[in-house]
Amino acid sequence: MSKVYVFTDYGGPENQQLIDRPAPMPGPGEVAIEVRAAGVNPADWKIREGHLGRHWSLPAPMGREAAGVVTQVGDGVEDFAVGDEVLGLVAPGQGGMAEHTLLRASTTVAKPEEISFTDAATIPVAAATAYDATHQIELEPGQTLLLLGAGGGVGLMAAQIGRVHAFTVIGVASATKRELVESTGAVFIESGPGVSDRVRQTISDGPDLIVDLVGGDPLRAVAGLVHDRTRIISAADPETAVELGGRALERTSEAMGKITDVIQYGLVDPHVRAQFDLNETGQAIAAVETGHAAGKITVIPQD
């Protein structure tokens, strides 16, 4: 048997639990892995609460990204073999917060030796999102990128990508995350009432691009700072972004591989700030659900 963390009904964390199941067998186009680490993301609790639809079969395994060692490959899989170290997005109906899971081969890449399993588990969702968000509209060196929600895992990665490209990065986050945001080379701006005035005092001409990782009223507060509102990209609240004249984040198939290369060469750091074992998965999800987590959180199955 193999342990997996699930939610048994839509709603709050009281519906979460760790259960036993047979280790999943890969279907066509899938690889089975022994999980060494899984990333925790806001989508995990949003799925549990039904915000992203209610089409998951219950009990529903939790966790969208994982890294581990291949134990079996399904029909049609030619790029991976048993024993390979990989990272990727979980297959439909599976979950990364588990001892064993399935990945879609099409959204799986080899894990370089230079990247730990813990860091690798943050790449498929958070790091790849940051890569796409900073490349959907290309900026020139010296242009200004405003990051709304710069203190989370995606924001910190996006800030570092901006530094690699020699952008001027303005990171908006809560006061408790100031040191972490500034460690990426970004200029810190405290979130909350008056944020637009604080940004104007820092960059009087306004940003060349806004990448939103928060949405709602915080996005509305800064939207007017950018001269061309088509240069608002939201990974958190595409509906509000479109309402304001911006656009939703567009995900690409090459982002995972490209950001893996960038991390391999030490140009950026996933900033994993906390690790929980599988029995503590509820605490890991709760930490992300507060909205105050700094950097990335991962779940590490016990040996």
Side-chain angles (χ1 to χ4, degrees):
M1 299 296 283
S2 177
K3 295 185 183 300
V4 60
Y5 202 77
V6 303
F7 65 89
T8 57
D9 198 1
Y10 291 98
E14 67 277 5
N15 296 316
Q16 300 171 175
Q17 61 179 278
L18 188 64
I19 66 171
D20 289 313
R21 67 171 179 182
M25 303 289 288
E30 296 176 340
V31 295
I33 66 166
E34 179 183 272
V35 178
R36 298 294 177 84
V40 185
N41 296 281
D44 299 324
W45 65 265
K46 291 179 181 179
I47 290 171
R48 184 203 68 217
E49 292 201 344
H51 295 310
L52 303 181
R54 293 179 174 243
H55 51 272
W56 276 264
S57 297
L58 301 175
M62 302 185 73
R64 314 320 307 156
E65 58 184 349
V69 179
V70 175
T71 57
Q72 288 180 283
V73 298
D75 290 342
V77 176
E78 299 179 352
D79 294 335
F80 304 104
V82 172
D84 286 351
E85 297 182 349
V86 298
L87 59 103
L89 296 172
V90 300
Q94 300 298 317
M97 300 168 187
E99 292 179 328
H100 301 85
T101 195
L102 303 178
L103 305 180
R104 292 178 290 180
S106 61
T107 54
T108 297
V109 299
K111 184 191 79 66
E113 292 183 4
E114 296 86 349
I115 302 178
S116 69
F117 281 109
T118 300
D119 284 350
T122 72
I123 292 175
V125 173
T129 296
Y131 185 92
D132 281 333
T134 52
H135 288 79
Q136 185 168 330
I137 294 177
E138 296 288 351
L139 294 183
E140 297 295 329
Q143 288 189 296
T144 302
L145 166 64
L146 177 65
L147 283 173
L148 190 60
V154 177
L156 292 169
M157 181 61 68
Q160 294 175 86
I161 293 171
R163 180 190 64 204
V164 170
H165 288 286
F167 304 155
T168 297
V169 181
I170 308 296
V172 178
S174 62
T176 58
K177 299 178 182 178
R178 177 171 193 147
E179 183 177 351
L180 188 56
V181 171
E182 290 181 339
S183 74
T184 67
V187 176
F188 173 81
I189 299 290
E190 185 175 351
S191 57
V195 63
S196 61
D197 292 334
R198 290 190 288 276
V199 173
R200 285 192 185 96
Q201 290 170 6
T202 303
I203 45 169
S204 58
D205 292 338
D208 297 291
L209 173 65
I210 295 175
V211 170
D212 165 54
L213 305 170
V214 179
D217 289 339
L219 175 56
R220 292 187 178 91
V222 300
L225 297 173
V226 66
H227 297 299
D228 180 356
R229 290 202 179 192
T230 64
R231 287 177 164 250
I232 298 172
I233 296 173
S234 181
D237 188 354
E239 292 82 5
T240 297
V242 171
E243 170 194 320
L244 294 168
R247 61 187 74 178
L249 171 69
E250 298 172 3
R251 298 302 305 270
T252 66
S253 59
E254 65 267 18
M256 192 188 310
K258 288 187 174 180
I259 193 60
T260 297
D261 290 342
V262 175
I263 294 171
Q264 176 183 4
Y265 293 111
L267 298 175
V268 298
D269 179 355
H271 280 283
V272 176
R273 307 289 287 185
Q275 299 177 42
F276 296 81
D277 68 40
L278 194 55
N279 292 320
E280 300 170 326
T281 301
Q283 297 173 345
I285 296 171
V288 172
E289 193 168 354
T290 65
H292 302 304
K296 282 292 294 183
I297 291 174
T298 59
V299 169
I300 312 295
Q302 294 175 305
D303 294 332

